[in-house]
Amino acid sequence: MPFISEILQYDSLSIVGLEKNVGKTECLNYILRRLPLHNTRVAVTSIGIDGENKDQVTSTKKPEIYLREGMFLSTAESHYRERRLVSELIEITNERSSLGRIVTARVVVGGKALISGPSSGVSLRRWAAGIKRYGIDLTIIDGAISRLSSASPAISKAMILSTGAALSSNINTLVQKTKFVVEMIGLNILEDDSRDTLCDIEAGVWGIDIEGNLVDFKITSALAINTLKVDITKGMKIIYTVGALTDKLLNLIAESKNIKNVTLVVKDFTKIFVSETAYRTFCSRGGNIRVLQKSKLIAVCVNPTAPNGYVLDSDTLCRKLREAIKLPVYDIVKNEYDI
Amino acid sequence: MTFKSALEIDCGLRYMYDSLCIMSSCGRKMLLSSDMMTTKSDIEAYYGRLNDIYKHDCLKIAHKLMYLKDIHNTLSRLSDGSTLDDIELFEVKHLAILSSQIRNMLTEQNIEAITLPQLDKVVEILDPDKLNIPSFYIYDSYNEALREVRKQMKAIQAQGDDIAEDKRQELAMLLQQHADLELQVREQLSQQLLAYVAPLTDTLDNLSCLDILIAKAEQIRQMNLCIPHIEEEKYTLYNNMFHPQVKAHLAEQGKAFMPVDITYEHTPVTIIGANMGGKSVVLKSLALNQLLAQYGFGVAADHCNINPVEEIALCIGDEQSIVKGVSSFAGEILAIDAVIKKIRAGRKLLALIDEPARTTNPVEGTALVEGLLEVIDHCNGAFILTTHYNIENSDVKRYRVKGLNNGQMDYTLEETHCGDVPHEAIAIAESLGIDSQWIEYTKKNLNN
């Protein structure tokens, strides 16, 4: 099981699932059990509620998060009171979630706990910065279901993606859907002199013309792209949308004659909300997308069991997925990999 | 009147509040709920403390106060005899350690404005291993049985994930025992801490108060404010009074604020002068500074004597209310009437009225203002109004804005004995660059 050593090369890791019940928490537990703690200080939190005993939607059993002695955890105070481990309370942070203030503690005797950390990306970033003062080497964020935002490179440098039969019970569809997400995560970083300029922009849709000048299209987001009556690609080499990238903008550029000369840029893959069809059309016409920041996808974990009881063949799934995405794929529950 | 309700008075107090750098939420809460001080002794005692803080560099203490948390709820639960949980015990320990750190800092600098109770006993209770760090859990040393249970739990945990069923059950049992033992310790701790509820509450309040004082002292430095003399019987006097918000706004445009001098007693005061002569700013400054003094802030002047009042009434003529269905005239007249009633009842009031009866015809308007001044003639506090009307009353103190001087506005107030208002409206209108034909016809009409 090689990915533990790879995780240790990064100072932050997020674990995100493409759907509920794809084995994200098992994956997290798997990692937490195997991290070498004698020389690494680890802090664990999650975005939003996570670590419930039961899945809130489908009422299927969910594995709890097991924390070992010496690990740090940040969770909401009401969940802290219910913990089943011995821990030393270190700080009551200024972050809040719907479950109360977020507290940070160090585990004294290992055990299980409910982890529900800061509920927004911004407060998660503040948390990550604040916890550094305890000499943390690795922060692990348990991402929320179908909220990839916690895997944003602005929050964590490395990520592990969980997928499984809960997303689709057809192997080919499952592979196809996962492959598309992996492709988005793997989009290359923009290599252009304007990259630093674009990184500083906080909202709107912008362009860089062929002479390298910054152009503001004066719309608040790509959602309002229809209000522009001009061809925004004209004379541009880069179109940058700070917020969400949707099919609408993608189709608009795909229809433009200038598509081959213009690069579409987004902040990072978490801002991409396009359908695969629209993306394929865009690419086949010669379009290309670049990101400003990229996170390292370390591995993909699969759970071949769907909450309704349907089970896919684990080996076939892993093999097909591995072939499609050219990355390590693991079924953690089935195979008790050795370190 | 609480500070929170005083913020509703449209005189720039909110600006002062917003620029106040209070570190803790309980400091902010304390200020908002604080009552206006009305006696010389209270105000002077408070300024004595503020001055003490002002003389010292309290930056480090302010940084410490960033960690102050509002634990009133925890303390009231403790005093009810409830058993505190880990988080609440942590809060208490945190407060006790923070307080003893700040206490040392205060002693080092000889600051006497705030005295913090000795909480060493509380720290002792919550720090049995004498680690002197603000983190907390139910330490092993509280209970031997607890230590033993934890040892056994650890031993089972060390066996890894695949523990046998009997061990699993044993672990579950140990967890239950552990919970019971912890509860027992928490009950004992809460019992021991019960005796310290009063000093802990005192500490929280005094630290909040310290936070406010440091913020006010810093504001005095930043805005060049002064600490006023409080004169219960004598007149109120301002040397170089200014309005911080207007001053800051002008500074943004590269302009300077022209400070004014003003003195008043119980005799009504009228301020006359050209449009755009800063009369309304004077009234707002007077209201603001009176409030600042009575809430213990630095006052916006070089020097001042302030006579405390029971209430401040600022009528700036925006009492029109669509909801209440009264016109601007009715709204204004009713507001002034309320002021008269309070003065009659003997209430010590600082009444500041901007251009009363301005929205009606000049003949009746003048009569209304003259009548108002006759009704007031003498009051417990002070009565100041601005006007454009020629007021004939003899028993008033008159100020006049110097006005246009070589095309430049001179905002200085000078005392005058004649009621004649300056005729500068057209010159000022002209300086605003309005339609030239309008000016031409106006001048022609005036000369006819």
Side-chain angles (χ1 to χ4, degrees):
Chain A
M1 184 73 192
F3 72 67
I4 297 293
S5 55
E6 195 168 355
I7 289 169
L8 292 171
Q9 294 169 19
Y10 298 91
D11 65 359
S12 47
L13 171 77
S14 63
I15 298 168
V16 288
L18 285 180
E19 188 47 79
K20 271 191 157 296
N21 299 298
V22 289
K24 181 167 62 70
T25 313
E26 274 147 330
C27 179
L28 174 63
N29 274 335
Y30 174 86
I31 294 166
L32 292 180
R33 278 203 300 268
R34 280 158 183 78
L35 282 170
L37 292 184
H38 57 276
N39 56 2
T40 318
R41 271 199 174 188
V42 177
V44 185
T45 194
S46 82
I47 185 161
I49 310 181
D50 229 325
E52 315 93 328
N53 271 320
K54 273 193 169 180
D55 185 307
Q56 305 281 351
V57 179
T58 53
S59 293
T60 48
K61 187 176 174 292
K62 281 188 71 176
E64 283 174 301
I65 294 191
Y66 182 88
L67 296 156
R68 287 152 63 201
E69 184 181 334
M71 284 181 167
F72 287 68
L73 73 146
S74 289
T75 190
E77 53 185 323
S78 54
H79 280 166
Y80 186 76
R81 293 192 174 100
E82 294 165 17
R83 74 201 184 283
R84 294 198 288 150
L85 46 78
V86 183
S87 59
E88 179 173 18
L89 186 56
I90 291 175
E91 191 193 356
I92 299 176
T93 69
N94 292 324
E95 306 301 332
R96 277 184 166 277
S97 78
S98 52
L99 294 160
R101 297 171 294 180
I102 308 295
V103 303
T104 297
R106 191 179 59 85
V107 179
V108 178
V109 179
K112 288 168 178 175
L114 303 159
I115 306 283
S116 59
S119 46
S120 75
V122 180
S123 54
L124 207 53
R125 273 214 293 282
R126 276 199 303 261
W127 168 81
I131 202 150
K132 285 266 177 343
R133 66 172 173 278
Y134 302 117
I136 301 296
D137 302 303
L138 174 66
T139 52
I140 299 183
I141 297 156
D142 189 6
I145 307 301
S146 66
R147 270 171 75 185
L148 295 174
S149 62
S150 61
S152 154
I155 295 169
S156 61
K157 297 207 177 95
M159 67 182 286
I160 287 175
L161 187 67
S162 284
T163 185
L167 182 65
S168 168
S169 48
N170 177 311
I171 287 196
N172 290 334
T173 317
L174 172 56
V175 169
Q176 185 74 13
K177 280 185 170 174
T178 308
K179 184 182 170 229
F180 180 59
V181 176
V182 172
E183 203 175 327
M184 293 299 107
I185 298 169
L187 284 173
N188 288 326
I189 290 186
L190 173 72
E191 279 174 21
D192 190 273
D193 296 340
S194 61
R195 188 171 166 264
D196 289 345
T197 317
L198 297 181
C199 282
D200 292 338
I201 300 173
E202 282 172 357
V205 179
W206 301 70
I208 302 282
D209 68 17
I210 29 187
E211 267 125 40
N213 302 313
L214 186 67
V215 181
D216 184 359
F217 292 116
K218 302 232 159 53
I219 50 173
T220 48
S221 83
L223 297 169
I225 200 75
N226 281 4
T227 57
L228 288 181
K229 298 296 174 215
V230 289
D231 179 6
I232 61 166
T233 61
K234 201 176 167 192
M236 296 293 157
K237 61 171 182 173
I238 287 170
I239 304 281
Y240 174 49
T241 167
V242 186
L245 172 66
T246 57
D247 282 1
K248 215 191 255 176
L249 179 61
L250 203 67
N251 291 337
L252 197 87
I253 296 175
E255 285 159 14
S256 150
K257 286 196 191 94
N258 200 23
I259 181 166
K260 289 198 176 77
N261 307 321
V262 65
T263 305
L264 183 57
V265 179
V266 291
K267 205 166 209 163
D268 57 59
F269 82 93
T270 63
K271 305 287 182 195
I272 302 177
F273 296 88
V274 298
S275 66
E276 193 178 348
T277 333
Y279 178 69
R280 298 279 173 239
T281 317
F282 176 77
C283 290
S284 70
R285 296 208 179 137
N288 70 91
I289 302 182
R290 291 284 178 271
V291 291
L292 293 180
Q293 283 181 308
K294 184 175 172 176
S295 17
K296 167 72 183 172
L297 179 59
I298 290 178
V300 174
C301 294
V302 295
N303 174 10
T305 310
N308 57 14
Y310 194 88
V311 185
L312 297 173
D313 180 59
S314 169
D315 292 341
T316 321
L317 174 60
C318 286
R319 182 176 48 78
K320 284 201 168 180
L321 199 56
R322 202 174 294 132
E323 281 165 10
I325 65 174
K326 313 269 187 293
L327 267 174
V329 178
Y330 305 98
D331 178 352
I332 281 164
V333 181
K334 177 169 174 260
N335 307 306
E336 275 296 324
Y337 300 95
D338 292 323
I339 304 167
Chain B
M1 181 167 57
T2 62
F3 186 76
K4 194 177 176 186
S5 49
L7 285 176
E8 301 300 319
I9 300 174
D10 180 21
C11 64
L13 188 62
R14 186 167 285 281
Y15 174 82
M16 302 300 283
Y17 173 65
D18 287 345
S19 61
L20 204 58
C21 194
I22 295 180
M23 297 293 173
S24 65
S25 67
C26 37
R28 223 158 251 281
K29 219 156 125 186
M30 178 183 253
L31 174 62
L32 286 173
S33 61
S34 64
D35 270 318
M36 188 166 86
M37 296 179 284
T38 50
T39 64
K40 180 179 157 88
S41 56
D42 282 357
I43 302 174
E44 280 187 336
Y46 191 86
Y47 276 122
R49 297 164 80 195
L50 181 58
N51 205 17
D52 188 19
I53 298 292
Y54 177 73
K55 284 189 302 200
H56 295 92
D57 177 16
C58 295
L59 197 68
K60 278 190 186 146
I61 301 178
H63 282 168
K64 279 272 167 215
L65 284 166
M66 277 168 59
Y67 299 100
L68 179 64
K69 308 261 175 181
D70 188 357
I71 65 161
H72 277 113
N73 286 343
T74 302
L75 294 179
S76 75
R77 258 173 52 78
L78 184 62
S79 75
D80 288 348
S82 312
T83 300
L84 299 189
D85 65 24
D86 282 27
I87 296 176
E88 291 166 318
L89 290 167
F90 170 87
E91 289 177 327
V92 172
K93 181 176 178 182
H94 190 267
L95 175 67
I97 291 184
L98 182 72
S99 160
S100 76
Q101 287 169 343
I102 293 179
R103 199 166 180 268
N104 290 340
M105 294 163 113
L106 292 173
T107 323
E108 256 170 45
Q109 294 208 58
N110 288 322
I111 298 173
E112 287 164 352
I114 292 284
T115 39
L116 295 168
Q118 179 71 260
L119 289 176
D120 290 0
K121 273 280 169 208
V122 175
V123 178
E124 222 169 85
I125 294 169
L126 296 172
D127 189 15
D129 299 341
K130 309 217 178 325
L131 301 170
N132 203 23
I133 44 170
S135 60
F136 179 77
Y137 77 113
I138 305 296
Y139 296 95
D140 290 357
S141 41
Y142 280 129
N143 189 312
E144 267 315 305
L146 189 68
R147 189 194 298 272
E148 195 48 45
V149 167
R150 282 178 180 169
K151 213 188 260 173
Q152 291 175 30
M153 278 164 66
K154 263 191 192 179
I156 297 176
Q157 302 276 17
Q159 295 172 10
D161 311 324
D162 283 323
I163 49 173
E165 186 53 35
D166 58 329
K167 285 284 172 194
R168 206 179 288 276
Q169 276 179 13
E170 192 185 330
L171 186 62
M173 221 173 66
L174 285 171
L175 264 170
Q176 189 52 50
Q177 268 181 32
H178 181 260
D180 293 345
L181 286 167
E182 275 205 347
L183 178 64
Q184 212 177 311
V185 174
R186 288 207 309 269
E187 277 169 359
Q188 284 165 5
L189 293 177
S190 306
Q191 197 58 41
Q192 282 173 286
L193 287 172
L194 195 57
Y196 299 96
V197 173
L200 280 165
T201 312
D202 260 9
T203 302
L204 189 54
D205 291 344
N206 282 327
L207 287 174
S208 309
C209 186
L210 179 63
D211 193 5
I212 299 172
L213 285 169
I214 293 175
K216 283 176 177 171
E218 189 50 35
Q219 189 175 57
I220 293 179
R221 263 183 221 112
Q222 279 176 1
M223 294 186 177
N224 275 323
L225 309 176
C226 76
I227 288 182
H229 295 275
I230 305 302
E231 300 286 358
E232 221 151 32
E233 294 309 320
K234 283 169 75 182
Y235 48 84
T236 293
L237 167 154
Y238 290 96
N239 280 341
N240 288 331
M241 175 181 73
F242 62 96
H243 192 285
Q245 187 176 11
V246 179
K247 188 179 174 179
H249 182 69
L250 288 172
E252 267 172 33
Q253 302 169 357
K255 294 179 192 162
F257 187 93
M258 204 180 277
V260 296
D261 294 352
I262 186 167
T263 310
Y264 55 82
E265 249 176 302
H266 305 304
T267 317
V269 177
T270 60
I271 301 174
I272 54 173
N275 301 77
M276 295 177 70
K279 298 188 299 298
S280 303
V281 173
V282 168
L283 287 193
K284 286 191 178 188
S285 306
L286 290 172
L288 173 67
N289 284 320
Q290 187 82 29
L291 286 167
L292 290 176
Q294 295 194 234
Y295 283 105
F297 285 67
V299 171
D302 281 355
H303 166 83
C304 64
N305 295 343
I306 286 177
N307 187 345
V309 294
E310 290 170 296
E311 195 183 326
I312 291 143
L314 176 67
C315 306
I316 44 176
D318 55 358
E319 287 82 6
Q320 178 176 11
S321 167
I322 296 169
V323 184
K324 284 185 196 154
V326 286
S327 70
S328 51
F329 178 75
E332 182 189 12
I333 295 300
L334 290 171
I336 296 171
D337 183 55
V339 170
I340 296 174
K341 287 197 171 102
K342 281 179 187 161
I343 292 175
R344 278 242 179 85
R347 207 165 157 75
K348 194 173 175 188
L349 215 66
L350 171 62
L352 302 157
I353 298 167
D354 196 21
E355 296 182 35
R358 83 178 96 173
T359 50
T360 190
N361 64 74
V363 180
E364 284 182 294
T366 307
L368 277 165
V369 177
E370 285 176 344
L372 175 62
L373 288 166
E374 271 173 55
V375 166
I376 298 303
D377 81 344
H378 192 83
C379 63
N380 233 342
F383 189 91
I384 301 167
L385 61 79
T386 62
T387 187
H388 283 294
Y389 298 141
N390 277 335
I391 303 298
E392 304 288 343
N393 301 47
S394 56
D395 201 15
V396 293
K397 181 171 187 175
R398 297 168 203 276
Y399 275 104
R400 180 181 187 278
V401 177
K402 270 198 176 162
L404 280 182
N405 186 8
N406 290 331
Q408 286 284 312
M409 184 59 80
D410 185 344
Y411 296 95
T412 316
L413 291 177
E414 53 183 9
E415 225 185 309
T416 163
H417 295 290
C418 84
D420 278 357
V421 294
H423 293 211
E424 292 172 325
I426 298 169
I428 289 163
E430 218 172 346
S431 75
L432 291 172
I434 59 161
D435 190 83
S436 57
Q437 210 167 23
W438 185 11
I439 295 283
E440 191 188 314
Y441 289 161
T442 305
K443 283 183 178 166
K444 203 167 75 190
N445 282 332
L446 202 62
N447 291 333
N448 282 342

